[in-house]
Amino acid sequence: MTDRKTARLVDFHCHLDLYPDHAAAVAQRERERVFTLTVTTTPKAFPRNKELADRTKYVRAALGLHPQLVAERAQELSIWKEYLPSTRYVGEVGLDAGRQFYASFEQQKVVFAEILSACAATGDKVLSVHSVRCTKVVLDTIDARLPVGRGRVVLHWFTGSASEARRAADMGCYFSINAAMLRNERSAALVRTLPKERILTETDGPFTDNAPGGVGPADVKPARDGLAILFQMGQNEIDALISENLRELVS
């Protein structure tokens, strides 16, 4: 997923299959040479995502079971486990304790624990993890179920506290940052405290698109540019940092 010859833009969490033309979205990312992790929300969506990504140099498909869908899709965990050996990348997975999804929170915890245990048993997986209003529980579960050296975690759109961020960094977690996070004063202040060597960029498109219903993938440059301003770095410098972080993550 990396190119040692030059720095490239990185979008480590987006949903290419949720754009109007999935194949065209993948082709655009390949044409633009943006290293992209396209996450899935259900296991049944994974085969088509993998089929398209396998034809590319710059796009990888992740196997997901979104916590917001667990109430209606928990039975697909068996399908998720069936597909796991065919990919190194896992996502979107995790927990969501928001009001709308709290009724399924106990069920979410069971599913997430099973996912982490399966990843630990297989080894060498890279996970993009959702952690809305439950960062401590997410980190506790990772700590208990995914031993150091058995997988690597990227916390997508991190909204935890400063102490939780420090704990996550101490556990070896990475953080994928999007432009919406940097427009929020509290979130931007937290991002500024994160270890620079653990930061990646993301769009979470199409959920963060400035023009909802856009036909092409969200642009990751606003996230890159926002980080450059936040860390007082030039564009080439931040591109090199993010590219190196990605190489280190997947090495």
Side-chain angles (χ1 to χ4, degrees), residues 57-75:
K57 177 179 180 180
Y58 295 101
V59 180
R60 296 293 180 270
L63 172 63
L65 181 49
H66 201 294
Q68 294 178 354
L69 299 179
V70 161
E72 58 194 82
R73 300 276 188 163
Q75 72 278 4

Side-chain angles (χ1 to χ4, degrees), residues 9-11 29 177-183 201-203 208-210 217-230 235 238-239:
L9 291 172
V10 174
D11 184 354
R29 279 301 168 84
I177 310 301
N178 59 55
M181 296 171 67
L182 299 176
R183 290 193 292 266
T201 40
E202 66 161 61
T203 61
T208 58
D209 285 1
N210 291 328
D219 189 355
V220 75
K221 289 178 184 176
R224 184 275 308 273
D225 294 345
L227 285 174
I229 293 169
L230 193 70
Q235 285 188 354
I238 196 75
D239 285 347

Side-chain angles (χ1 to χ4, degrees), residues 3 44 87 98 212 230:
D3 184 342
K44 289 182 178 179
T87 182
L230 193 70

Side-chain angles (χ1 to χ4, degrees), residues 30-45:
E30 182 70 0
R31 186 169 61 251
E32 294 173 349
R33 297 189 292 179
V34 178
F35 288 121
T36 302
L37 185 70
T38 179
V39 297
T40 51
T41 57
T42 71
K44 289 182 178 179

Side-chain angles (χ1 to χ4, degrees), residues 145-166:
R145 296 282 185 150
L146 190 66
V148 174
R150 298 303 298 169
R152 312 198 87 173
V153 171
V154 180
L155 295 170
H156 144 67
W157 203 326
F158 182 79
T159 57
S161 66
S163 62
E164 288 167 339
R166 288 192 296 271

